[in-house]
Amino acid sequence: MGAPANFLQYVDNNADSFIKRLGEAVKIQSISSDARRRQETIAMGLWLNDQLTQLGVTTKLEDLGTHVMQGQTLQLPYAIIGKLGEDPKKKTVLIYGHYDVQPALKSDGWATEPFELVVDNEKNRLIGRGSTDDKGPIMGWLNVIQAHKELGLDLPVNLRFCFEGMEENGSEGLDECVIAEVAKGKDGYFGGVDCVCISDNYWLNTRTPALTYGLRGIAYFAINVSGPGQDLHSGLFGRMVHEPMTDLIKLMSKLVDHDGTILIPGIDEMVPPADEEELKLYTKMDYSTADVEESAGASIALSDHKETVIMGRMRNPSLSLHGIQGAFSDVGCKTVIPSKVAGKFSLRLVPPQTPEAVIPLVKAYIESEFAKLNSKNKMNVEYLHGGKPWVADVKHWNFEAAKKAIESIWKKSPDYTREGGSIPVTLTFAESLGVNVLLLPMGRADDGAHSTNEKLDRSNFIEGTKVLGTYLYEVAVAA
Amino acid sequence: MGAPANFLQYVDNNADSFIKRLGEAVKIQSISSDARRRQETIAMGLWLNDQLTQLGVTTKLEDLGTHVMQGQTLQLPYAIIGKLGEDPKKKTVLIYGHYDVQPALKSDGWATEPFELVVDNEKNRLIGRGSTDDKGPIMGWLNVIQAHKELGLDLPVNLRFCFEGMEENGSEGLDECVIAEVAKGKDGYFGGVDCVCISDNYWLNTRTPALTYGLRGIAYFAINVSGPGQDLHSGLFGRMVHEPMTDLIKLMSKLVDHDGTILIPGIDEMVPPADEEELKLYTKMDYSTADVEESAGASIALSDHKETVIMGRMRNPSLSLHGIQGAFSDVGCKTVIPSKVAGKFSLRLVPPQTPEAVIPLVKAYIESEFAKLNSKNKMNVEYLHGGKPWVADVKHWNFEAAKKAIESIWKKSPDYTREGGSIPVTLTFAESLGVNVLLLPMGRADDGAHSTNEKLDRSNFIEGTKVLGTYLYEVAVAA
Ligand SMILES: [Zn+2]
Ligand SMILES: [Zn+2]
Ligand SMILES: [Zn+2]
Ligand SMILES: [Zn+2]
């Protein structure tokens, strides 16, 4: 049972207005990790809530309270909990998405203004921060609901919604909110949910749609080193004082080897090696090292063996050095000794790793390395946020329904993938609801989520909207 | 022969208007290393030229041509060459200063707007970018000339001027300009110059005025590492690709040891160790490790031995890591793999080191360390700018005159110091004119040049102006 033809037709006919709505969403700079953008992040939630209620969704704005960030006490962006349909004969699908985005500045290297959605008609791409992560997928669901409303079609399932505005900053407060809502049972919005669908990730390549059954967790850290009372002149103070940058760079250099091996004792060792059967999975995937190099835009794969490369993303932990706060970062030649620097890095985690398990290893190791430096500077390791990894059962009807929807729209069978990224709430849904959770990616591997020139292919937005709608019809008839 | 009493009185009476003029100078954001501020840097030169001509100085604006910076071809700020007085019976003193400044943003940690001169009446400080480096000293000379003009006093010497706007960015074009002017002999502005006075440095501590007879040179580098075609998401690409930050941090960690030892083979080895006699010099200085720790604002001296610390600044090379361009440097938790990063560092050089001598050692070492990483990323070492070190004869009458001026105003004998900083044109004056060059510092060790909350004590500005004037009278009668 595919979706009705008039639904599919409606999506094609209204593509331009769908793109226009995505543009309105992109324009709102909902950067959850930047205190200066907190009001805009909250405003983005209110805008989305308006859109939902206009389409007939019953919503409530969950006040998640406050938190302290960058030295300020800030209101958390609302979680939007919603429902549409209460037919006890229908299945109930819970949809998740996040309306916050990663930071972006034109000066980071964007070819266009990051918060203006630019339609590149030559490459058929929609370019802008949040286009693929995760405003495009959320707009995809609005498209589906609008089509049914305008056409007077009944949705084949009951829908439940959970949209948050803190995903890019540790999903603060969301777990408690979800767990509390689930605890209300039939009296809550999440009573009777049969399965969960999350669209917040990407295909494995640029050719083949994917269904994702695993996610890495994350643990994000800062190494804070401080010394002088203020920044110093390197001519006046060079070789007189312990320089925080010298210490920080030494510590950061001890975290990961050039081949990706994590140098913090006990981290890599937590993960059992792949057996013969698991190795075969990776050999079979529609994937080559050329794919990673195409997505990355350069021939920089860590290995020539596709299995090694793909396992690096799907089933191994990783450690990336993101940058340094407080050091000279501009163009030019400033001869400064920065007084206070914070080295940012994160670990991606796989089962059985958890943030709780790795935090003490990370702290103990960096502290022991710092002790070796005999520095008079001050150092501390700060755990900033994190989430556990997750793996699901791909034989469940939820995955079957999504597979059929993909085959119906894209005329291709999906890759079954585990993802390198982290969406911590996935695990919370799985554990608190006790139902199957599915990741149904809208974008492609080369979308550049979290980087410059983020884009969503026009076809992924429009055909992707059709997949979401069709998926609901397949769920309705699934065993 | 001190300065006339009415000159000294005039300086006291006009202190507020002198501070007001310094405020006008600070307001102009003449950041020579930032292409976006180039027009303002040029405007600062024109403002200074106006001030000089209004005081009767004959000037010419030297067009130094263009250079390429940050991908743009930019006009260089003018060098201002000037003269005041042509009496063949008087000595002729050449004054140097620079009207450009280091970058500064309030968000770097300034308590006040960096480009607004704030008068802190509690601590008697003038706070603002350029207050001590080097707009304060230049204004000091304007104060001296104004006093003589208004009082109808003849200056005791002929004055010559050389003010530049690229000191903080390698003094591009200035050497050629000075050498060409000197080559004109008596027909040029620099014909008949008997000595040079530069005020662009600081006392050794906060108590005792200093005369400076040596300067370290500098060689400023960037290590450029690039890999991916654009920034990548660490969840999607972590442990699949060679990350530029991993390589860069490894390379930066190989440059300097935590105790200040330079790890690039051959650099420290170029400098002969201090003999008994030289060591005694450092033991005698009015200086303790407590001084460096007071100036630095924390107990972070590299050693408990004052001689080791002071030699680290005066007679040893140093290497400082300034920061990374292109990596995540903001607050928050961006999970990015930066595609293109530039690690900035500089070496301070002492005789017999020169940029030309160290550049090949630096490049060869970093290239050999990069080769060990087996990375598919691209790396190159870029030499950005530099200057040779310099040492002068302290027994010359120029130094004697300055010593008497200091004793007359401050009632204290100066420390004779070698400086850790670099003013490349010092050596050019010494070599091309063949006369004695003197550094007569206006500010104190804790002024925070090149750092946040740069200040000049009010007394150093006002008494410092008196020292400059008195120095001219002492030069006039010197043997
Ligand atoms: Zn996302
Ligand atoms: Zn994201
Ligand atoms: Zn200076
Ligand atoms: Zn300077």
Side-chain angles (χ1 to χ4, degrees):
Chain A
M1 177 188 170
N6 57 347
F7 163 71
L8 302 176
Q9 191 60 53
Y10 182 95
V11 175
D12 281 328
N13 292 348
N14 289 274
D16 287 344
S17 81
F18 291 164
I19 291 167
K20 187 156 164 283
R21 177 163 53 200
L22 177 56
E24 287 175 42
V26 165
K27 208 185 273 291
I28 307 171
Q29 303 195 21
S30 48
I31 305 168
S32 54
S33 66
D34 186 341
R36 297 164 298 188
R37 298 293 183 195
R38 180 53 53 88
Q39 280 313 312
E40 253 181 290
T41 309
I42 290 169
M44 176 68 207
L46 298 176
W47 179 89
L48 177 57
N49 186 58
D50 272 358
Q51 299 288 322
L52 289 163
T53 53
Q54 279 169 34
L55 290 171
V57 178
T58 305
T59 66
K60 56 174 183 169
L61 293 173
E62 287 283 351
D63 184 347
L64 304 179
T66 62
H67 72 145
V68 176
M69 186 172 92
Q70 294 147 30
Q72 300 169 50
T73 299
L74 298 170
Q75 188 192 344
L76 286 161
Y78 297 107
I80 304 170
I81 308 292
K83 60 178 167 186
L84 182 61
E86 306 250 31
D87 187 338
K89 295 189 295 295
K90 291 178 181 171
K91 287 206 187 73
T92 299
V93 179
L94 172 57
I95 308 297
Y96 164 88
H98 66 88
Y99 60 80
D100 61 320
V101 297
Q102 284 278 319
L105 293 170
K106 180 121 197 303
S107 60
D108 293 341
W110 283 72
T112 58
E113 285 296 335
F115 293 96
E116 292 290 335
L117 190 76
V118 173
V119 181
D120 176 346
N121 283 317
E122 207 166 303
K123 292 185 167 170
N124 282 307
R125 289 173 166 187
L126 314 172
I127 302 160
R129 175 56 90 221
S131 56
T132 193
D133 180 22
D134 187 38
K135 290 176 175 176
I138 291 180
M139 295 305 114
W141 286 111
L142 297 187
N143 301 344
V144 169
I145 301 164
Q146 177 185 325
H148 284 77
K149 184 166 187 279
E150 297 287 320
L151 295 169
L153 282 172
D154 256 4
L155 280 162
V157 297
N158 303 311
L159 291 178
R160 298 295 177 265
F161 302 93
C162 177
F163 295 125
E164 68 156 322
M166 280 291 284
E167 197 276 339
E168 303 292 7
N169 192 15
S171 291
E172 186 114 12
L174 187 71
D175 274 1
E176 297 77 357
C177 168
V178 168
I179 289 164
E181 195 61 38
V182 172
K184 293 178 192 164
K186 297 208 180 235
D187 299 333
Y189 277 53
F190 297 164
V193 164
D194 295 295
C195 64
V196 180
C197 178
I198 292 173
S199 296
D200 184 23
N201 60 313
Y202 317 94
W203 300 355
L204 184 58
N205 49 46
T206 59
R207 297 175 300 276
T208 311
L211 283 175
T212 302
Y213 68 99
L215 287 172
R216 292 198 286 195
I218 186 169
Y220 200 113
F221 296 90
I223 304 176
N224 300 303
V225 184
S226 62
Q230 70 287 338
D231 287 357
L232 302 175
H233 183 308
S234 67
L236 302 185
F237 288 91
R239 209 155 184 169
M240 298 185 93
V241 297
H242 290 279
E243 302 187 12
M245 274 292 279
T246 305
D247 295 343
L248 177 63
I249 294 284
K250 288 254 186 277
L251 296 176
M252 290 177 82
S253 77
K254 301 283 174 63
L255 300 176
V256 59
D257 218 345
H258 50 83
D259 62 359
T261 305
I262 297 170
L263 298 173
I264 303 166
I267 303 279
D268 273 346
E269 294 83 345
M270 278 182 192
V271 182
D275 58 22
E276 286 289 308
E277 193 187 2
E278 189 185 346
L279 279 172
K280 270 183 215 151
L281 275 177
Y282 304 114
T283 306
K284 272 190 286 187
M285 278 184 188
D286 177 11
Y287 197 70
S288 70
T289 57
D291 283 318
V292 67
E293 298 190 329
E294 188 193 330
S295 304
S299 297
I300 53 170
L302 278 173
S303 166
D304 295 333
H305 298 96
K306 88 173 206 185
E307 293 83 355
T308 304
V309 173
I310 213 164
M311 285 164 65
R313 163 171 167 172
M314 290 195 181
R315 61 99 60 213
N316 286 328
S318 65
L319 192 153
S320 294
L321 306 170
H322 304 301
I324 299 173
Q325 184 184 332
F328 178 52
S329 60
D330 214 340
V331 293
C333 292
K334 195 172 179 182
T335 53
V336 67
I337 297 173
S339 63
K340 198 178 161 192
V341 286
K344 310 274 183 80
F345 71 96
S346 66
L347 282 156
R348 298 286 170 169
L349 308 177
V350 297
Q353 296 173 326
T354 61
E356 289 63 37
V358 303
I359 291 167
L361 298 177
V362 170
K363 291 196 172 181
Y365 174 69
I366 296 173
E367 279 158 14
S368 76
E369 289 297 319
F370 182 68
K372 292 181 194 167
L373 299 182
N374 279 316
S375 172
K376 293 183 188 165
N377 291 321
K378 289 186 173 48
M379 193 285 300
N380 74 73
V381 183
E382 189 180 1
Y383 168 67
L384 295 173
H385 75 76
K388 285 191 274 190
W390 159 82
V391 177
D393 171 20
V394 296
K395 306 214 167 84
H396 192 274
W397 55 256
N398 192 25
F399 277 85
E400 285 299 310
K403 176 173 184 276
K404 285 183 185 158
I406 286 170
E407 289 169 344
S408 151
I409 300 299
W410 288 109
K411 316 296 178 201
K412 261 193 166 183
S413 289
D415 281 326
Y416 286 88
T417 65
R418 283 170 65 181
E419 260 300 354
S422 310
I423 310 165
V425 79
T426 310
L427 194 76
T428 309
F429 285 134
E431 289 180 348
S432 67
L433 288 164
V435 301
N436 186 276
V437 179
L438 161 79
L439 264 64
L440 180 48
M442 179 174 266
R444 303 186 190 194
D446 65 347
D447 281 357
H450 291 212
S451 91
T452 49
N453 303 311
E454 178 181 344
K455 60 89 180 167
L456 178 64
D457 287 79
R458 194 182 199 278
S459 62
N460 285 55
F461 188 47
I462 300 308
E463 301 307 307
T465 291
K466 295 179 191 169
V467 168
L468 297 180
T470 306
Y471 159 71
L472 300 181
Y473 286 91
E474 296 293 348
V475 164
V477 297
Chain B
M1 176 185 173
N6 59 345
F7 163 70
L8 302 176
Q9 192 60 54
Y10 183 95
V11 174
D12 281 328
N13 293 347
N14 290 274
D16 286 345
S17 80
F18 292 163
I19 291 167
K20 189 158 163 282
R21 177 163 53 201
L22 176 56
E24 288 174 42
V26 165
K27 209 185 273 289
I28 307 172
Q29 303 195 21
S30 49
I31 305 167
S32 54
S33 66
D34 186 341
R36 297 164 299 189
R37 297 295 182 192
R38 180 53 54 87
Q39 280 313 311
E40 253 182 289
T41 309
I42 291 170
M44 176 68 208
L46 298 176
W47 178 90
L48 177 57
N49 187 57
D50 272 356
Q51 298 289 321
L52 289 164
T53 53
Q54 280 169 34
L55 290 171
V57 178
T58 305
T59 65
K60 55 174 185 169
L61 293 173
E62 287 283 351
D63 184 347
L64 304 179
T66 62
H67 73 145
V68 175
M69 187 173 91
Q70 294 148 29
Q72 300 169 49
T73 299
L74 298 170
Q75 189 193 342
L76 286 161
Y78 297 107
I80 304 171
I81 307 293
K83 61 179 166 185
L84 182 61
E86 305 251 31
D87 186 337
K89 295 190 295 295
K90 292 179 181 170
K91 289 208 187 70
T92 299
V93 179
L94 172 57
I95 309 297
Y96 164 88
H98 66 88
Y99 61 78
D100 61 320
V101 297
Q102 284 278 318
L105 293 171
K106 180 120 198 304
S107 60
D108 293 342
W110 283 72
T112 59
E113 285 297 333
F115 293 97
E116 293 290 336
L117 189 75
V118 173
V119 180
D120 176 346
N121 284 316
E122 207 166 305
K123 293 185 167 172
N124 282 307
R125 289 173 166 186
L126 314 172
I127 302 159
R129 174 57 89 219
S131 57
T132 194
D133 180 22
D134 187 38
K135 290 176 175 176
I138 291 180
M139 295 305 112
W141 287 111
L142 297 187
N143 301 345
V144 169
I145 302 165
Q146 177 185 323
H148 284 77
K149 185 165 186 280
E150 297 286 320
L151 295 168
L153 282 172
D154 256 5
L155 280 163
V157 297
N158 303 312
L159 289 178
R160 298 294 178 265
F161 302 92
C162 176
F163 294 125
E164 67 156 322
M166 280 290 284
E167 198 276 338
E168 302 293 6
N169 193 13
S171 290
E172 185 116 15
L174 188 71
D175 274 0
E176 297 78 357
C177 167
V178 167
I179 289 165
E181 195 62 36
V182 172
K184 292 178 192 163
K186 296 203 182 245
D187 300 333
Y189 277 52
F190 296 163
V193 164
D194 295 296
C195 65
V196 180
C197 179
I198 292 174
S199 297
D200 184 22
N201 60 313
Y202 318 94
W203 300 356
L204 185 57
N205 49 47
T206 59
R207 297 175 301 275
T208 311
L211 284 175
T212 301
Y213 67 99
L215 287 171
R216 291 198 285 196
I218 187 169
Y220 201 113
F221 296 90
I223 304 175
N224 301 304
V225 184
S226 62
Q230 70 287 338
D231 286 357
L232 302 176
H233 183 308
S234 68
L236 302 186
F237 287 92
R239 209 156 184 166
M240 298 184 92
V241 298
H242 291 279
E243 302 187 12
M245 274 292 280
T246 305
D247 294 344
L248 177 63
I249 294 285
K250 288 253 185 277
L251 295 176
M252 290 178 82
S253 77
K254 301 284 175 64
L255 299 176
V256 59
D257 218 346
H258 50 83
D259 62 357
T261 306
I262 296 170
L263 299 174
I264 302 166
I267 303 279
D268 273 346
E269 294 83 345
M270 278 182 191
V271 183
D275 58 22
E276 287 288 307
E277 192 187 2
E278 188 184 346
L279 280 172
K280 272 184 213 150
L281 275 177
Y282 304 115
T283 305
K284 273 190 286 187
M285 277 183 188
D286 176 11
Y287 197 70
S288 70
T289 56
D291 283 318
V292 66
E293 298 190 331
E294 190 194 328
S295 304
S299 298
I300 53 171
L302 278 174
S303 167
D304 295 334
H305 299 96
K306 89 172 207 185
E307 292 84 355
T308 304
V309 173
I310 213 166
M311 286 165 65
R313 164 172 167 174
M314 291 197 180
R315 59 99 62 214
N316 286 328
S318 65
L319 192 153
S320 293
L321 306 170
H322 305 300
I324 298 173
Q325 183 183 332
F328 179 53
S329 60
D330 214 339
V331 293
C333 294
K334 195 170 176 181
T335 53
V336 67
I337 298 173
S339 62
K340 198 177 161 192
V341 286
K344 310 272 183 81
F345 70 96
S346 66
L347 282 158
R348 298 285 170 170
L349 308 177
V350 295
Q353 296 173 326
T354 60
E356 290 63 36
V358 302
I359 292 167
L361 297 177
V362 170
K363 291 196 173 182
Y365 173 68
I366 297 173
E367 279 159 12
S368 78
E369 289 298 317
F370 182 68
K372 291 181 194 167
L373 299 182
N374 280 316
S375 172
K376 294 183 188 166
N377 291 320
K378 290 185 171 51
M379 193 286 299
N380 73 73
V381 183
E382 190 180 1
Y383 169 68
L384 294 173
H385 74 77
K388 285 191 273 190
W390 159 81
V391 177
D393 171 20
V394 297
K395 307 215 166 83
H396 191 274
W397 55 256
N398 192 26
F399 277 85
E400 284 299 311
K403 176 172 182 278
K404 286 182 186 159
I406 286 170
E407 288 169 346
S408 151
I409 301 299
W410 290 108
K411 316 297 177 199
K412 263 194 164 181
S413 290
D415 282 326
Y416 287 87
T417 64
R418 283 170 64 180
E419 261 301 353
S422 311
I423 311 166
V425 78
T426 310
L427 194 76
T428 310
F429 285 134
E431 289 181 346
S432 67
L433 288 163
V435 300
N436 186 276
V437 180
L438 162 78
L439 263 64
L440 181 46
M442 178 173 268
R444 302 186 190 193
D446 65 345
D447 281 357
H450 291 212
S451 91
T452 48
N453 303 310
E454 178 181 346
K455 62 88 181 168
L456 178 66
D457 287 80
R458 194 181 198 278
S459 62
N460 285 55
F461 188 47
I462 301 308
E463 302 308 306
T465 291
K466 295 179 192 170
V467 168
L468 297 180
T470 307
Y471 159 71
L472 300 181
Y473 286 91
E474 295 294 347
V475 164
V477 299

